Amino acid sequence: MRNVIIITLSSILVAFAYNYLLIPHEILSGGLSGIAIMLGIITPLNTGVLNLLLNLPLLILGVMKLGKRFISYTILSVAVLSVSLYIIPIHKATQEPILASLFGGVIVGFAMGMIFRAAGSSGGFDIIAMLLSRKRDFPLGTLIAAMNGIVVAASGFVFSWDAALLTLVSIYATGKVVDTIHTSHIKLTLMIITSKGEEVKQQLLEKLHRGVTIIDAKGAYSGEGRKVLITVITRYQLADVKSTIKETDPKSFVNILQTTEVIGMFDRGTTK
């Protein structure tokens, strides 16, 4: 329930940032939402309706390919954002485009960071990047940046290159704030010390497409046997993995480390 409330309020906040700061100045955000904003400006259709229509095929694909909890929260976020964009009136909160771009990006980044922390996403390019990264070990950050580059270029050709530069500022601010709130690293290494090694292993293998390495260990103080599970995940999986571990073994000890680079097979469904 807590996650549902966070995702709902954060999605409404994103809609306010769009309709009060970005859209009045013809500034786009990243992802499919940016494309929806552009189409909403140049066509009679509402941005909220366009956002829902553009995300719908990806959400259907995500239901089949991605985790149920993640995609359920993502559907909630897309639905609330689309309805909010339809209901909230467009109003120019500031006359300065650079302020609108910067603060709009910061607000969107804060809200999206909270959505990520609640184990969801805002849909769009996030789903595309996750699906592609499961086929091959593409860096998610590079994929999303490349797709956002298309949005910036489209802004320049459709509106003006000033608008494109302001869009770039907005996307950059959003990314920096998301990284600050959620995690600044695309891949993370988890070291899980637990007395329920088999149970935790099974849960991770069922919900992740990653390898898990198990090491036998013993507590220095208690002398009791433990299992150390090591795995590498993406930042989008962190909230779901933490919830899984907490449900399986609330007394486990988890150390989360940044991962600079992964060499070898990253996408696995069996233990190493």
Side-chain angles (χ1 to χ4, degrees):
M1 194 62 188
R2 175 177 172 272
N3 286 346
V4 170
I5 293 172
I6 290 174
I7 290 172
T8 300
L9 295 178
S10 297
S11 299
I12 294 172
L13 185 59
V14 172
F16 267 105
Y18 285 173
N19 283 359
Y20 272 68
L21 293 168
L22 301 185
I23 293 177
H25 293 280
E26 297 183 342
I27 301 170
L28 309 183
S29 80
L32 282 184
S33 296
I35 297 175
I37 291 174
M38 181 179 66
L39 294 176
I41 293 173
I42 64 177
T43 70
L45 295 175
N46 182 270
T47 303
V49 175
L50 289 166
N51 186 66
L52 183 61
L53 292 176
L54 289 174
N55 275 283
L56 194 57
L58 294 175
L59 292 175
I60 294 173
L61 188 61
V63 169
M64 297 184 290
K65 299 291 185 179
L66 301 176
K68 291 182 180 179
R69 177 180 296 179
F70 171 82
I71 201 64
S72 296
Y73 286 159
T74 300
I75 291 172
L76 172 64
S77 176
V78 170
V80 172
L81 174 59
S82 299
V83 172
S84 299
L85 285 170
Y86 188 84
I87 295 175
I88 297 171
I90 296 176
H91 176 73
K92 187 177 287 188
T94 175
Q95 300 300 319
E96 292 292 332
I98 186 64
L99 291 178
S101 174
L102 182 59
F103 283 97
V106 169
I107 293 171
V108 171
F110 171 79
M112 289 182 64
M114 296 303 295
I115 292 172
F116 284 138
R117 290 190 65 170
S121 83
S122 58
F125 287 175
D126 292 335
I127 296 177
I128 296 174
M130 289 189 70
L131 290 172
L132 287 176
S133 70
R134 288 194 171 190
K135 297 296 182 182
R136 298 178 66 180
D137 188 18
F138 290 116
L140 285 179
T142 302
L143 284 171
I144 294 175
M147 289 184 285
N148 282 336
I150 297 172
V151 175
V152 174
S155 176
F157 284 109
V158 174
F159 300 120
S160 68
W161 291 108
D162 284 344
L165 292 174
L166 290 170
T167 295
L168 187 60
V169 170
S170 173
I171 293 173
Y172 180 80
T174 296
K176 283 297 180 182
V177 176
V178 166
D179 287 344
T180 300
I181 292 176
H182 186 52
T183 173
S184 59
H185 307 285
I186 299 301
K187 292 185 177 70
L188 304 169
T189 296
L190 270 63
M191 181 179 294
I192 308 160
I193 302 175
T194 174
S195 59
K196 299 181 179 180
E198 284 301 314
E199 293 92 329
V200 175
K201 182 198 76 173
Q202 285 302 124
Q203 288 296 317
L204 291 178
L205 292 179
E206 287 177 9
K207 297 183 178 181
L208 301 176
H209 292 265
R210 306 293 174 229
V212 179
T213 298
I214 301 179
I215 302 173
D216 291 320
K218 183 171 70 173
Y221 178 76
S222 65
E224 296 178 358
R226 295 283 189 273
K227 294 290 185 182
V228 179
L229 282 66
I230 302 173
T231 186
V232 180
I233 64 173
T234 68
R235 69 177 184 178
Y236 297 95
Q237 296 171 308
L238 180 59
D240 202 25
V241 170
K242 286 178 7 182
S243 176
T244 298
I245 296 171
K246 187 176 180 180
E247 291 172 1
T248 309
D249 183 10
K251 296 182 179 179
S252 62
F253 177 85
V254 183
N255 187 23
I256 302 171
L257 306 169
Q258 75 176 66
T259 301
T260 303
E261 184 179 3
V262 175
I263 299 174
M265 293 296 291
F266 177 59
D267 188 7
R268 291 188 176 183
T270 59
T271 54
K272 293 181 181 178

